[in-house]
Amino acid sequence: MTAAIETHKLTKWYGQKSRGIIDVDLVVETGQIFGFLGPNGAGKSTTIRLLFDLIRPTSGSAQVLGLDIHHDRLAIDRRVSYVPGELSLYGDLTGRQLLTYLGNLQGSVDADYREKLIQRLDLDTRKRIKSLSRGNKQKVGLVAAFMIRPELLILDEPTAGLDPFIQLEFEHLCEEARSEGRTVFISSHQLPEVEHLCDRVGIIREGRLLAVESIAALKERALRRLEIDFGGPVKAEAFANLPGVRDLTVEGAVLKCTVMGSLDALVKAAARFEVRSLRSIDTSLEEIFLAYYGAGDGTSADAQAGKEASHAAA
Amino acid sequence: MLLRNVFTKTVRDLRWPTFWIALGMGAMTAYFAILFPTYSKILDVQSLMAKMGPLAKLFGASGDMNTLTGFLHLELFSMILPALMVVLTAGIGSGFTAGEESRGTIDVLLSYPVSRRRIVLEKSLAVFLACIVAASITWLCGVVGAAISSSALPADKLAAACVMLVLLSLAFGSIALAISAATGNRGASIGVAVGLLVVSYLIDGLANIVDGLNSIRWISPFKYYMAGDPLRNGISLGDAAVLAGITAVFLIVSLIAFDRRDLAS
């Protein structure tokens, strides 16, 4: 079966500015909801705009639905929808007129399905687009994307500005698409927004794809926060430089740290002392996500900064 | 109905600008055609021009100013009408790829099965249609106005001048289009096209009184529009071909440039 999206060493180099992407090898299987995660400026939109041939790669190649992104452009456009991150639509048209225009460009649209979408997303199609709020504009974009029943939907930060009710409806639409064997590719800088929706996520940072994992595997590899109470005071040095251990603090007889992957090294180091209790606190995917971010230098300050950035951007 | 494709959508976008410019051009032409007999009674334009001497030639005076043909040539076709038409083609029409790009609508448009070349071609066709509409209304107003004032104004010669007007404005429009397609910079595209219009107008006008400029007169697109005096002599096929050639070359440049480039986000 051909993958919905497949890139080979896809690179867009903008010189010294860091906004490009480098050697991205990404495979998105059909019939999945795939989350493409990374902070603002990591290269998410650059990757998506490359897939739509709006910008051209410096090197590498990519296929969408098995078709070459440049040479088979129109064939791809007939089968794929796109909602850009900074969605901009013809402001002088009403929502209804815009949907008519885009439907005509597409060729044929199932009018009944379109009307259902308009109802479900509670969209007022009589208003001119320039008078719509960001969330309502986004709804126009989503109706336009879903109405052609594409085999692949590529949505760049689709939930920005949507109220919770509409967001839920949007998630239903994505799940329906998946149940019909279609593929949804969602970029986001906020994992919690998409973690319950996605089957797999790819994490991109500073233009490099760091990891592609199933949500399940990501949870398995969970970052655990541990607290160990010892029989007496211990020295932090005894636990220094253990593999997978980070954010280590020792206060008297209490050790706190986070561990990624196996607990073996830490447990063996702790076994040299009297262990009174050991608590493991499950971490959110957000923290796992941030652990990847911190992978470069491993400082919690970095992870914390990333967290703040993602909240600020929300 | 006007939302069928990129061509009809562009016609829709251009309908009001085209209407206003056509209205302006038509009204001025009708005004001069109707009032010409009154003008020429009050004012002996021919002798006024004679007093101005070589300066009159700077403004493109040619032929007999006591005929409506000579009068319209000087008053309208030498400067005002080309300027208005170029505003239509360069200012409004060819800002369109850059306009869609700077507003960001190009991302959505190109995600539908429409190629970049098709967008440029369909939009160009819409601008071409807008020019024809504006020129036709101008022609009609001239013919009707001349009939009202019983002045002599051969309809075929007026048509020839209008055709040349369309060709001239398309030439400058295509230059603006090429810059806009190659750079995505709408301001630069309008600025350069209008700047070139002014420079080429000045070269052609000044060449009438400054001998030294005659040797470079051929580079001015305005020469091919003005020199044959189409309002008196009808169309010179050679001149028309040069203007059409300029348009064709820059249209091809636009197609290639827009197809190859990274589009701004």
Side-chain angles (χ1 to χ4, degrees):
Chain A
M1 202 173 180
T2 42
I5 298 171
E6 194 167 354
T7 69
H8 306 278
K9 299 226 167 289
L10 193 62
T11 298
K12 181 68 186 176
W13 180 244
Y14 287 111
Q16 289 308 311
K17 286 184 288 174
S18 62
R19 269 188 57 242
I21 58 168
I22 304 152
D23 288 343
V24 170
D25 288 305
L26 177 67
V27 179
V28 177
E29 304 292 343
T30 50
Q32 290 193 337
I33 300 178
F34 187 95
F36 192 46
L37 299 165
N40 296 321
K44 299 188 299 289
S45 296
T46 301
T47 309
I48 291 172
R49 295 186 87 242
L50 281 165
L51 294 177
F52 279 96
D53 201 35
L54 294 163
I55 51 177
R56 306 282 159 68
T58 311
S59 63
S61 64
Q63 283 91 43
V64 170
L65 303 173
L67 301 163
D68 181 86
I69 50 168
H70 182 64
H71 294 104
D72 305 318
R73 190 66 249 157
L74 297 187
I76 293 174
D77 288 339
R78 278 185 205 100
R79 296 161 62 186
V80 179
S81 285
Y82 171 40
V83 180
E86 304 218 343
L87 180 62
S88 163
L89 303 164
Y90 303 103
D92 58 321
L93 299 183
T94 64
R96 170 74 55 194
Q97 287 172 326
L98 184 86
L99 293 174
T100 304
Y101 180 48
L102 296 179
N104 285 334
L105 292 179
Q106 178 67 26
S108 67
V109 168
D110 179 348
D112 288 343
Y113 184 56
R114 182 189 59 206
E115 295 314 306
K116 264 190 207 123
L117 288 171
I118 290 169
Q119 267 182 8
R120 287 178 64 178
L121 291 179
D122 192 24
L123 174 67
D124 184 350
T125 56
R126 291 163 303 178
K127 283 190 183 149
R128 277 178 198 272
I129 287 164
K130 65 180 160 205
S131 72
L132 295 179
S133 67
R134 177 156 186 216
N136 281 316
K137 239 177 248 177
Q138 197 69 21
K139 292 198 282 191
V140 178
L142 289 173
V143 172
F146 278 94
M147 72 178 180
I148 64 168
R149 288 182 186 274
E151 288 167 56
L152 169 64
L153 284 132
I154 297 185
L155 312 169
D156 196 356
E157 307 267 354
T159 52
L162 293 183
D163 64 55
F165 170 71
I166 300 299
Q167 190 158 336
L168 201 63
E169 201 57 47
F170 161 74
E171 287 170 11
H172 290 324
L173 285 172
C174 291
E175 281 157 0
E176 283 168 28
R178 174 173 58 190
S179 69
E180 292 166 21
R182 300 187 274 134
T183 312
V184 185
F185 181 95
I186 301 174
S187 89
S188 177
H189 60 264
Q190 286 174 296
L191 187 64
E193 289 220 329
V194 292
E195 76 173 74
H196 52 286
L197 191 59
C198 295
D199 304 298
R200 286 168 75 78
V201 291
I203 296 171
I204 187 169
R205 188 196 182 198
E206 288 175 0
R208 292 179 192 273
L209 189 66
L210 297 182
V212 177
E213 295 258 23
S214 69
I215 290 281
L218 208 54
K219 280 181 169 163
E220 251 170 45
R221 284 186 56 186
L223 203 64
R224 262 169 287 235
R225 179 153 294 151
L226 285 188
E227 284 185 27
I228 306 176
D229 293 348
F230 291 100
V234 292
K235 286 195 171 114
E237 289 81 50
F239 300 92
N241 300 319
L242 292 173
V245 174
R246 52 177 75 201
D247 304 339
L248 182 79
T249 60
V250 176
E251 281 169 33
V254 180
L255 176 148
K256 293 180 183 175
C257 67
T258 45
V259 182
M260 186 159 60
S262 170
L263 295 181
D264 188 61
L266 179 72
V267 169
K268 284 187 175 144
R272 289 180 283 158
F273 307 95
E274 183 200 348
V275 177
R276 284 200 179 150
S277 85
L278 187 151
R279 284 183 303 279
S280 169
I281 302 155
D282 263 355
T283 51
S284 70
L285 283 184
E286 178 96 2
E287 281 169 282
I288 304 171
F289 184 49
L290 290 170
Y292 275 112
Y293 285 3
D297 46 26
T299 62
S300 59
D302 189 42
Q304 194 56 40
K307 197 168 190 168
E308 275 163 16
S310 76
H311 283 302
Chain B
M1 179 201 132
L2 283 176
L3 295 169
R4 275 229 65 78
N5 53 41
V6 177
F7 168 69
T8 56
K9 165 77 162 56
T10 311
V11 168
R12 186 183 183 279
D13 293 343
L14 291 180
R15 67 198 194 282
W16 289 112
T18 308
F19 171 79
W20 289 114
I21 287 198
L23 186 73
M25 290 170 61
M28 278 192 286
T29 310
Y31 172 82
F32 283 117
I34 292 169
L35 293 182
F36 174 70
T38 322
Y39 261 96
S40 58
K41 255 177 245 156
I42 308 170
L43 198 71
D44 185 356
V45 187
Q46 181 67 27
S47 57
L48 190 71
M49 285 293 147
K51 272 181 221 151
M52 284 173 80
L55 205 55
K57 286 197 164 177
L58 179 64
F59 300 115
S62 79
D64 187 352
M65 291 308 296
N66 286 329
T67 66
L68 179 57
T69 301
F71 188 71
L72 282 185
H73 177 86
L74 174 67
E75 287 291 337
L76 293 180
F77 280 87
S78 68
M79 190 168 83
I80 294 173
L81 295 183
L84 281 173
M85 282 281 271
V86 169
V87 166
L88 184 69
T89 58
I92 301 157
S94 72
F96 51 46
T97 56
E100 292 238 13
E101 206 176 335
S102 58
R103 284 193 300 272
T105 49
I106 197 82
D107 274 36
V108 172
L109 183 57
L110 280 173
S111 75
Y112 284 80
V114 189
S115 70
R116 293 191 188 189
R117 284 184 190 183
R118 203 185 165 98
I119 290 171
V120 173
L121 279 176
E122 291 197 16
K123 290 198 174 235
S124 302
L125 203 62
V127 174
F128 182 46
L129 181 71
C131 286
I132 290 178
V133 167
S136 302
I137 288 174
T138 305
W139 176 83
L140 192 67
C141 290
V143 170
V144 171
I148 290 171
S149 69
S150 308
S151 311
L153 183 66
D156 60 332
K157 297 289 176 0
L158 183 61
C162 287
V163 168
M164 293 305 283
L165 191 59
V166 169
L167 290 174
L168 179 79
S169 46
L170 287 179
F172 282 101
S174 69
I175 291 171
L177 172 65
I179 296 164
S180 128
T183 65
N185 186 332
R186 186 174 187 175
S189 129
I190 298 170
V192 172
V194 171
L196 280 177
L197 176 76
V198 171
V199 168
S200 83
Y201 171 80
L202 286 176
I203 289 176
D204 193 63
L206 286 171
N208 286 319
I209 50 175
V210 181
D211 284 341
L213 279 175
N214 259 320
S215 56
I216 61 156
R217 193 173 191 171
W218 64 272
I219 65 163
S220 162
F222 227 78
K223 169 190 181 290
Y224 304 95
Y225 165 67
M226 282 292 276
D229 198 351
L231 203 51
R232 263 198 310 159
N233 305 325
I235 283 186
S236 147
L237 286 180
D239 289 349
V242 171
L243 292 176
I246 294 173
T247 306
V249 166
F250 281 101
L251 182 59
I252 291 167
V253 168
S254 310
L255 288 170
I256 296 170
F258 191 57
D259 212 29
R260 301 180 88 141
R261 194 164 58 83
D262 281 358
L263 300 176
S265 56

